[in-house]
Amino acid sequence: MKILLAYIAFSLCFAAAVPMATAEDDVWDLFAAAESHLLSRINAVRMNPAVVMAEAGIDLDAAVAAFPEGASWMAGGMPALALDDRLQASARGHVMDMLTRNFYGHEGTDGSTYEERIEASGYEAVEMGESVGFIAFYNYIDPTAAAEAIFQNILKNETDPASPAPKNILNPSMREVGIGILSGQITLDGNRYNAYMATCDFGSSISENITARGAESTLLILINQARMRPLDVAASLGVDTEGVRAADPERYARWAAGMAPVTKNAQLTDAAEGHAREMAVHGYVSHEDRTGRGAAERILDAGYDVDAPTGERLAFNIMDGSVTLLSDQVQQIFEEMMRAEFAASSAEETVLNPAYREAGIGLAFGNLPVDGRTAPSLVLALNFGGSTAAPPSAEGWVYRDINGDGLYSMGEGVFGASVNIVGYERIPGDWIPFAVPYEVITTDGAGRFTRPDVPKMLEIQVDSEVRIIGNLATEYRRMVFEAADAGL
């Protein structure tokens, strides 16, 4: 479903005269410079909201009140927007239409909406928005100064709690933007003014969200499948497993045996999400954050068990434009991460470290420096911990092996499957265990289910299949269910 955002900023001001540029090429260069300035200011406030708002005289507390669902983004920033040529063409076309046909608004003279214009540009948006603004003047004003005035007006409207204006500049779901700025003459209320007009078209072409029912849950399944079946996953990625057997028999034996899955931990998740967002916002990939803290310090600061071993693996994927599904981006970043994991030494293993029992996943979109330019990227931070206080959990998934490779793959999870778990515990001295029934749960959008804090012995039923788990610590592979095509 497309979420459509729109908003109009209106400003009228009069500026002192400054010399007018006369050469036509110089004028177009000034407009391009103004567009670049507006882009830089939009990205500055996205990356450092508090600083830029203070410069604009905006009350940060009031601004946060305008974003009740996104206070963490307001405090920590959000990734910069990438300039998109299609959105740029849409924005420039609309600003030219407004100036040459003497109107101001979102509807074009041909009756087109901004949604239709963005779609006509070839941009496949799942979320889009448009902000338009202008300043009017009697005497010349520099285009960059005009862009700054328009930016501040839009920002003040977006951060006004009383304003009904949707949030485009500070919408973390937006990934790209196109900007058009031109000057000309316009008549308003019978008065004719010189004016600068601006159109900003925003969009996101990523067709899925990072949610517990989507990318994060899928990644956790893929990680746990790699832990349960390292050799099979390695072979699927082209790793020479026989070479591993010859070079490091002990490591090969550990991979052949597999290891227990990790479960999601809130503190590890907080640490991972915070670091992924910071890397995405500020354009770097490193275990050391901008304050100099390493992974262990960030995990400890998040409140995780101080006595537990911890680790971190980072990865990123450059979004080249040919892959627009987030699921495909996640698949790519997982594969690259696991190739690095399989190539690492035994001492450097993190995903395949049997000492770890819990994990936190952080995913964020941003722009990373690549070959002298910045490129839209997906950034991943994985934090692992081995707290002995972590209770046993029933962690598994239900899937259909659509591609027939014998492994869970992206898009094969079964959503909404009923999972009925009964635990069995013994009172010390008694021979017969007593049953502990749990509420029926259902699999999420990735096909994953989890039941925390269960005994080692379980009876689990998915659809009509019932399994007895004698020891969850060693029989974890039996928590994975392959559904028949006709079932579930």
Side-chain angles (χ1 to χ4, degrees):
M1 180 180 69
K2 295 180 178 179
I3 304 173
L4 308 176
L5 306 178
Y7 143 71
I8 297 175
F10 178 92
S11 172
L12 183 64
C13 70
F14 301 92
V18 296
M20 172 71 81
T22 56
E24 184 175 350
D25 289 344
D26 290 344
V27 172
W28 287 108
D29 287 345
L30 288 173
F31 291 146
E35 292 170 351
S36 295
H37 179 80
L38 184 49
L39 175 63
S40 69
R41 295 295 284 154
I42 288 172
N43 283 335
V45 74
R46 285 175 66 89
M47 296 172 67
N48 295 288
V51 172
V52 178
M53 288 181 194
E55 293 172 353
I58 296 171
D59 184 337
L60 183 59
D61 291 336
V64 170
F67 293 81
E69 72 290 350
S72 64
W73 285 101
M74 289 286 289
M78 60 194 75
L81 297 173
L83 191 65
D84 182 86
D85 291 341
R86 296 158 297 181
L87 293 174
Q88 188 91 327
S90 172
R92 285 175 170 173
H94 185 57
V95 79
M96 178 68 78
D97 187 28
M98 288 193 295
L99 272 171
T100 57
R101 292 174 173 82
N102 195 55
F103 76 96
Y104 178 73
H106 292 290
E107 184 176 327
T109 52
D110 60 356
S112 64
T113 63
Y114 73 84
E115 300 96 326
E116 292 169 335
R117 293 190 297 272
I118 290 174
E119 290 177 354
S121 74
Y123 187 88
E124 297 180 356
V126 294
E127 185 160 2
M128 65 181 98
E130 184 173 81
S131 299
V132 294
F134 80 88
I135 64 168
F137 59 95
Y138 287 136
N139 299 312
Y140 175 73
I141 181 173
D142 179 80
T144 299
E148 178 65 25
I150 290 172
F151 163 74
Q152 292 205 23
N153 284 329
I154 295 174
L155 181 61
K156 287 175 181 177
N157 275 275
E158 282 206 9
T159 54
D160 181 358
S163 172
K167 319 305 180 186
N168 286 329
I169 289 179
L170 292 174
N171 182 345
S173 297
M174 297 301 186
R175 309 294 180 204
E176 292 135 336
V177 68
I179 298 171
I181 295 179
L182 290 174
S183 69
Q185 291 189 325
I186 188 169
T187 301
L188 295 173
D189 299 328
N191 297 314
R192 192 161 185 82
Y193 303 105
N194 299 315
Y196 281 98
M197 283 193 167
T199 298
C200 302
D201 283 345
F202 300 81
S204 173
S205 60
I206 295 297
S207 62
E208 298 159 84
N209 291 320
I210 297 176
T211 67
R213 286 167 57 102
E216 180 190 273
S217 197
T218 300
L219 259 177
L220 194 54
I221 292 175
L222 292 172
I223 289 165
N224 280 332
Q225 180 170 249
R227 288 174 64 86
M228 291 180 184
R229 302 169 58 184
L231 287 178
D232 294 332
V233 173
S236 74
L237 296 177
V239 176
D240 180 8
T241 56
E242 288 305 310
V244 176
R245 186 205 295 262
D248 193 342
E250 182 179 340
R251 190 180 198 186
Y252 181 90
R254 187 171 70 253
W255 287 4
M259 61 203 74
V262 290
T263 58
K264 182 178 177 181
N265 173 273
Q267 289 79 26
L268 293 172
T269 298
D270 287 346
E273 288 179 345
H275 192 48
R277 184 167 64 243
E278 179 179 294
M279 290 189 295
V281 168
H282 297 286
Y284 73 95
V285 178
S286 171
H287 292 293
E288 187 174 287
D289 66 17
R290 293 186 304 145
T291 67
R293 294 182 307 165
E297 292 174 90
R298 293 192 305 274
I299 291 170
L300 183 62
D301 288 347
Y304 193 68
D305 187 348
V306 66
D307 297 319
T310 58
E312 181 175 73
R313 183 164 284 283
L314 307 177
F316 67 93
N317 188 47
I318 301 300
M319 299 163 62
D320 59 9
S322 63
V323 179
T324 58
L325 289 175
L326 178 58
S327 57
D328 293 338
Q329 297 287 349
V330 168
Q331 184 72 44
Q332 288 183 2
I333 204 170
F334 169 77
E335 291 177 1
E336 289 304 312
M337 176 188 72
M338 289 310 302
R339 288 189 180 97
E341 179 80 8
F342 288 127
S345 68
S346 296
E348 296 172 324
E349 287 179 329
T350 49
V351 178
L352 300 180
N353 188 333
Y356 296 142
R357 306 176 63 184
E358 299 172 301
I361 296 173
L363 277 170
F365 289 103
N367 293 290
L368 297 180
V370 179
D371 298 330
R373 63 185 178 91
T374 58
S377 306
L378 180 63
V379 180
L380 169 66
L382 290 175
N383 286 163
F384 293 90
S387 174
T388 57
S393 295
E395 181 83 26
W397 57 91
V398 183
Y399 78 109
R400 290 192 181 94
D401 190 12
I402 297 171
N403 61 12
D405 67 352
L407 294 167
Y408 172 97
S409 301
M410 196 71 63
E412 292 184 343
V414 176
F415 168 68
S418 295
V419 181
N420 187 21
I421 298 176
V422 177
Y424 290 91
E425 299 185 34
R426 283 192 181 95
I427 297 175
D430 287 356
W431 285 96
I432 301 176
F434 63 92
V436 181
Y438 295 93
E439 183 180 356
V440 175
I441 56 177
T442 56
T443 55
D444 66 13
R448 175 176 169 260
F449 64 86
T450 183
R451 170 66 69 186
D453 199 10
V454 295
K456 291 183 178 180
M457 182 181 293
L458 302 175
E459 177 183 287
I460 179 169
Q461 179 175 348
V462 176
D463 195 17
S464 60
E465 184 173 0
V466 179
R467 296 179 185 174
I468 303 298
I469 311 296
N471 187 342
L472 186 59
T474 58
E475 298 179 31
Y476 43 80
R477 290 192 187 187
R478 301 192 66 208
M479 301 299 291
V480 178
F481 291 79
E482 182 179 349
D485 289 341
L488 298 177

XYZ file of all heavy atoms in Angstrom, residues 174-214:
304
model
N 11.710 7.873 4.137
C 12.143 8.398 2.843
C 13.620 8.071 2.616
O 14.439 8.180 3.521
C 11.929 9.913 2.769
C 10.467 10.354 2.859
S 9.450 9.647 1.537
C 7.893 10.508 1.852
N 13.939 7.697 1.391
C 15.307 7.306 1.065
C 15.960 8.228 0.036
O 17.181 8.343 -0.002
C 15.338 5.877 0.494
C 14.613 4.845 1.329
C 15.276 4.636 2.661
N 14.568 3.650 3.449
C 14.614 3.568 4.764
N 15.342 4.442 5.436
N 13.957 2.646 5.425
N 15.142 8.859 -0.839
C 15.681 9.634 -1.946
C 14.865 10.905 -2.142
O 13.744 11.021 -1.655
C 15.663 8.801 -3.233
C 16.630 7.635 -3.209
C 16.038 6.340 -3.714
O 14.812 6.157 -3.674
O 16.822 5.488 -4.155
N 15.446 11.831 -2.895
C 14.772 13.105 -3.117
C 15.211 13.669 -4.459
O 16.289 13.360 -4.963
C 15.099 14.110 -1.973
C 16.558 14.535 -2.026
C 14.178 15.317 -2.010
N 14.354 14.484 -5.042
C 14.678 15.287 -6.204
C 14.251 16.714 -5.929
O 13.191 16.942 -5.329
N 15.060 17.701 -6.321
C 14.802 19.095 -5.978
C 14.873 19.957 -7.232
O 15.791 19.816 -8.047
C 15.824 19.607 -4.948
C 15.719 18.795 -3.645
C 15.621 21.100 -4.669
C 16.825 19.094 -2.656
N 13.883 20.834 -7.389
C 13.890 21.810 -8.461
C 13.696 23.212 -7.914
O 12.776 23.436 -7.111
N 14.542 24.156 -8.305
C 14.413 25.561 -7.898
C 14.577 26.433 -9.132
O 15.538 26.275 -9.894
C 15.459 25.953 -6.841
C 15.237 25.177 -5.540
C 15.414 27.453 -6.564
C 16.258 25.496 -4.462
N 13.638 27.350 -9.348
C 13.698 28.306 -10.457
C 13.154 29.651 -9.984
O 12.490 29.724 -8.941
C 12.872 27.824 -11.653
C 13.406 26.620 -12.440
C 12.387 26.192 -13.478
C 14.745 26.947 -13.087
N 13.394 30.704 -10.757
C 12.831 32.015 -10.438
C 12.089 32.565 -11.642
O 12.347 32.187 -12.789
C 13.926 32.992 -10.009
O 14.759 33.316 -11.106
N 11.137 33.442 -11.367
C 10.348 34.072 -12.410
C 9.398 35.065 -11.783
O 9.653 35.571 -10.693
N 8.275 35.327 -12.456
C 7.283 36.248 -11.917
C 5.962 35.522 -11.715
O 5.596 34.624 -12.473
C 7.084 37.428 -12.860
C 8.292 38.355 -12.916
C 8.012 39.629 -13.670
O 7.258 39.631 -14.654
N 8.600 40.729 -13.226
N 5.253 35.938 -10.672
C 3.981 35.311 -10.348
C 3.035 36.372 -9.792
O 3.467 37.335 -9.142
C 4.181 34.166 -9.329
C 2.894 33.375 -9.122
C 4.714 34.701 -7.994
C 3.090 32.087 -8.339
N 1.734 36.227 -10.083
C 0.722 37.145 -9.589
C -0.069 36.479 -8.478
O -0.617 35.378 -8.661
C -0.234 37.570 -10.712
O 0.518 38.206 -11.752
C -1.295 38.542 -10.194
N -0.116 37.129 -7.326
C -0.869 36.627 -6.185
C -1.755 37.747 -5.652
O -1.268 38.849 -5.373
C 0.082 36.147 -5.076
C 0.973 34.936 -5.398
C 1.966 34.718 -4.269
C 0.121 33.687 -5.603
N -3.050 37.467 -5.528
C -4.001 38.456 -5.001
C -3.914 39.787 -5.746
O -3.987 40.873 -5.145
C -3.768 38.680 -3.502
C -3.965 37.410 -2.694
O -4.815 36.589 -3.095
O -3.265 37.237 -1.676
N -3.708 39.703 -7.051
C -3.659 40.900 -7.873
C -2.330 41.611 -7.881
O -2.154 42.605 -8.604
N -1.365 41.136 -7.115
C -0.039 41.753 -7.069
C 0.969 40.864 -7.794
O 0.951 39.641 -7.644
C 0.411 41.959 -5.621
C -0.490 42.909 -4.871
O -0.844 43.977 -5.379
N -0.875 42.524 -3.656
N 1.854 41.479 -8.543
C 2.845 40.737 -9.309
C 4.203 40.822 -8.604
O 4.659 41.895 -8.235
C 2.953 41.279 -10.732
C 3.759 40.368 -11.668
C 3.447 40.679 -13.121
N 4.105 39.744 -14.014
C 3.636 38.542 -14.307
N 2.501 38.130 -13.765
N 4.277 37.757 -15.165
N 4.824 39.668 -8.408
C 6.091 39.599 -7.688
C 7.118 38.829 -8.515
O 6.788 37.942 -9.293
C 5.935 38.855 -6.351
C 4.906 39.422 -5.419
C 3.682 38.783 -5.259
C 5.166 40.571 -4.684
C 2.736 39.285 -4.389
C 4.220 41.087 -3.806
C 2.994 40.438 -3.671
O 2.062 40.933 -2.813
N 8.372 39.163 -8.267
C 9.450 38.247 -8.613
C 9.444 37.141 -7.554
O 9.178 37.404 -6.376
C 10.797 38.959 -8.606
C 10.854 40.080 -9.621
O 10.438 39.907 -10.767
N 11.349 41.243 -9.208
N 9.745 35.925 -7.963
C 9.641 34.826 -7.003
C 10.639 33.724 -7.308
O 11.013 33.497 -8.467
C 8.227 34.262 -6.997
N 11.056 33.063 -6.252
C 11.742 31.782 -6.358
C 10.751 30.708 -5.927
O 10.090 30.839 -4.893
C 12.960 31.718 -5.434
C 14.169 32.434 -5.959
C 14.463 33.720 -5.538
C 15.017 31.818 -6.883
C 15.573 34.389 -6.002
C 16.139 32.484 -7.365
C 16.411 33.764 -6.926
O 17.515 34.428 -7.400
N 10.681 29.640 -6.714
C 9.818 28.518 -6.354
C 10.668 27.260 -6.243
O 11.646 27.083 -6.982
C 8.727 28.312 -7.394
C 7.590 29.302 -7.286
S 6.175 28.782 -8.284
C 4.928 29.901 -7.634
N 10.278 26.401 -5.319
C 10.992 25.138 -5.107
C 10.000 24.002 -4.990
O 8.918 24.157 -4.409
C 11.852 25.211 -3.851
N 10.363 22.883 -5.566
C 9.616 21.638 -5.392
C 10.591 20.564 -4.947
O 11.657 20.395 -5.545
C 8.942 21.190 -6.701
O 8.002 22.180 -7.110
C 8.217 19.857 -6.502
N 10.242 19.851 -3.883
C 11.034 18.718 -3.402
C 10.159 17.477 -3.475
O 9.123 17.403 -2.801
C 11.496 18.925 -1.962
S 12.475 20.415 -1.707
N 10.534 16.528 -4.303
C 9.818 15.255 -4.399
C 10.607 14.180 -3.671
O 11.777 13.930 -3.976
C 9.617 14.865 -5.863
C 8.496 15.654 -6.523
O 7.711 16.274 -5.783
O 8.407 15.652 -7.764
N 9.956 13.561 -2.680
C 10.584 12.552 -1.836
C 10.045 11.173 -2.183
O 8.893 11.035 -2.613
C 10.283 12.823 -0.355
C 10.763 14.156 0.150
C 10.032 15.312 -0.075
C 11.948 14.248 0.860
C 10.465 16.540 0.398
C 12.392 15.471 1.342
C 11.651 16.620 1.110
N 10.863 10.148 -1.962
C 10.366 8.807 -2.225
C 11.190 7.727 -1.573
O 12.305 7.957 -1.086
N 10.606 6.547 -1.537
C 11.302 5.332 -1.129
C 10.866 4.229 -2.076
O 9.668 4.011 -2.281
C 10.959 4.954 0.314
O 11.513 3.691 0.629
N 11.828 3.542 -2.663
C 11.507 2.455 -3.576
C 11.720 1.096 -2.936
O 11.569 0.070 -3.588
C 12.366 2.566 -4.854
O 13.736 2.488 -4.535
N 12.126 1.082 -1.671
C 12.278 -0.188 -0.964
C 10.885 -0.692 -0.615
O 10.115 -0.023 0.069
C 13.110 -0.030 0.311
C 14.537 0.382 -0.060
C 13.122 -1.305 1.117
C 15.285 -0.657 -0.874
N 10.536 -1.903 -1.085
C 9.144 -2.330 -1.017
C 8.790 -3.121 0.228
O 7.707 -3.676 0.301
C 8.803 -3.160 -2.256
O 9.596 -4.318 -2.314
N 9.702 -3.225 1.194
C 9.372 -3.889 2.442
C 9.970 -3.088 3.586
O 10.921 -2.341 3.391
C 9.932 -5.313 2.466
C 9.363 -6.202 1.371
C 10.265 -7.380 1.101
O 10.146 -8.367 1.823
O 11.077 -7.289 0.173
N 9.443 -3.266 4.752
C 9.939 -2.544 5.922
C 10.813 -3.436 6.784
O 10.684 -4.661 6.781
C 8.769 -2.030 6.772
C 8.009 -0.924 6.077
O 8.612 -0.069 5.446
N 6.703 -0.959 6.157
N 11.714 -2.813 7.537
C 12.512 -3.552 8.514
C 11.664 -3.691 9.768
O 11.531 -2.781 10.552
C 13.819 -2.807 8.826
C 14.674 -2.699 7.565
C 14.597 -3.506 9.926
C 15.933 -1.900 7.760
N 11.050 -4.847 9.939
C 10.187 -5.086 11.087
C 10.456 -6.479 11.631
O 11.127 -7.290 10.999
C 8.696 -4.994 10.705
O 8.382 -6.089 9.828
C 8.383 -3.690 10.000
N 9.918 -6.737 12.799
C 10.066 -8.065 13.388
C 9.415 -9.131 12.528
O 9.774 -10.306 12.594
C 9.468 -8.083 14.794
N 8.425 -8.741 11.715
C 7.765 -9.700 10.837
C 8.453 -9.793 9.480
O 7.988 -10.493 8.604
C 6.298 -9.300 10.624
C 5.406 -9.551 11.822
C 4.081 -8.836 11.630
N 3.421 -9.254 10.402
C 2.402 -10.105 10.349
N 1.967 -10.643 11.460
N 1.827 -10.407 9.225
N 9.561 -9.072 9.305
C 10.189 -9.061 8.002
C 11.665 -9.353 8.066
O 12.089 -10.458 8.417
